[in-house]
């Protein structure tokens, strides 16, 4: 999603020119009084009163209205987690994402028209392919191709989508979302993921996915849900959030094709195998457009 020239340009953007001023010409410095410390400013992730999002665990049927109602750091969350037929529609602020299969999954999208992921990452809401999850709906023609892959440690989807299908600005190149982040509160704040398609489920029961990450924007998307029973190695590594889907979730997805695969485990993100590529089993073509 992000090219090397783009990363180089971003790096250069942080370099500013300056003029040397001799000490004899400089104005006397102005001493700014130190800010008054407050409880809110002293709070840090993991401290009392600041729960870590990835440790908030609920059965799907026991979800509270908000899993992160806490008025600390960036809280409370923007939307809600009890999502059903009464919350379905274009104005839904459901922040519970369902990730079941190639024809039944959700993605995070903007709650605002023509939003930019960088501006709305903390309050993105769920957009789904099916009208069953109390969310907003992804338009039928928005997704133009995808590859759904299931491995022994995670399930992932990589595909192509019109930005406008998720209420994103058509020019937005997007970004990465996960339940961790610098303050361990995740993006979206209060966002939780459930699936009946992982090894942690019986194939019917929606079971919480504690470790996941996703990229969306630039008319592309990818989403990986790691199995709760496997915590090492971390296949949902989220440190490389500037280099997009192709680096973090390698696939053979093609625009115009919808495929489903049983896959080999990819290398842990940032680690290369001897031949530099990951292997995949042949995919079953669902259909082509």
């Amino acid at each position: 999603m992000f090219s090397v020239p783009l990363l180089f340009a971003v790096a250069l953007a942080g370099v500013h020119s300056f003029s040397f001023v001799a000490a004899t010409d400089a104005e006397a410095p102005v001493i700014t009084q130190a800010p008054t410390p407050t409880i809110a400013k002293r709070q840090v992730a993991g401290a009392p009163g600041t729960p870590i999002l990835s440790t908030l665990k609920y059965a799907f049927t026991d979800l509270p209205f908000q899993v992160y109602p806490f008025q600390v750091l960036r809280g409370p969350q923007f939307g809600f987690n009890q999502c059903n037929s009464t919350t379905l529609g274009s104005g839904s602020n459901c922040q519970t994402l369902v990730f079941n299969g190639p024809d039944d999954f959700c993605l995070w999208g903007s709650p605002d028209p023509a939003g930019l992921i960088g501006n709305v990452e903390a309050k993105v809401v769920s957009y789904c392919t099916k009208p069953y999850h109390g969310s907003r709906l992804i338009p039928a023609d928005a997704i133009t191709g995808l590859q759904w892959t299931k491995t022994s440690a995670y399930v992932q989807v990589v595909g192509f989508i019109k930005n406008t299908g998720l209420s994103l600005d058509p020019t937005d190149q997007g970004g990465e979302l996960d339940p961790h982040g610098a303050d361990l509160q995740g993006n979206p704040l209060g966002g939780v993921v459930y699936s009946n398609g992982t090894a942690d489920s019986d194939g019917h029961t929606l079971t919480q996915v504690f470790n996941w990450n996703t990229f969306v924007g630039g008319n592309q998307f990818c989403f990986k849900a790691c199995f709760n029973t496997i915590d090492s190695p971390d296949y949902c590594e989220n440190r490389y959030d500037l280099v997009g889907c192709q680096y973090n979730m390698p696939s053979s997805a093609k625009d115009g094709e919808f495929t489903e695969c049983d896959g080999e485990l990819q290398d842990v993100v940032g680690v290369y195998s001897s031949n530099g590529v990951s292997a995949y089993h042949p995919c079953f073509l669902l259909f082509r457009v």
Side-chain angles (χ1 to χ4, degrees), residues 145-161:
L146 65 80
Q147 181 180 91
W148 185 275
T149 305
K150 186 170 185 178
T151 74
S152 59
Y154 57 83
V155 177
Q156 78 173 29
V157 64
V158 179
F160 303 87
I161 187 171

Side-chain angles (χ1 to χ4, degrees), residues 6-96:
L6 175 59
L7 293 177
F8 182 66
V10 171
L12 289 180
V15 180
H16 302 278
S17 61
F18 64 92
S19 300
F20 178 78
V21 178
T24 54
D25 298 329
E27 296 181 359
V30 176
I31 307 299
T32 302
Q33 185 176 2
T36 302
T38 65
I39 292 177
K41 291 177 181 178
R42 288 200 301 266
Q43 287 171 329
V44 295
T50 59
I52 297 172
L53 179 61
S54 61
T55 67
L56 302 179
K57 301 177 181 180
Y58 300 94
F60 185 77
T61 54
D62 293 334
L63 275 168
F65 178 70
Q66 290 182 316
V67 303
Y68 210 98
F70 314 108
Q71 296 186 19
V72 295
L73 295 176
R74 294 182 291 134
Q77 72 185 84
F78 170 76
F80 49 83
N81 300 104
Q82 289 181 354
C83 310
N84 50 49
S85 60
T86 66
T87 64
L88 175 68
S90 59
S92 176
N93 289 328
C94 174
Q95 291 186 301
T96 297

Side-chain angles (χ1 to χ4, degrees), residues 107-153:
L107 299 171
W108 298 120
S110 174
D112 307 321
L116 300 173
I117 283 292
N119 295 339
V120 301
E121 61 180 4
K123 64 175 188 175
V124 290
V125 297
S126 182
Y127 285 71
C128 302
T129 61
K130 298 287 189 183
Y132 307 148
H133 307 304
S135 68
R136 304 188 189 200
L137 291 179
I138 298 174
D141 62 347
I143 297 176
T144 58
L146 65 80
Q147 181 180 91
W148 185 275
T149 305
K150 186 170 185 178
T151 74
S152 59

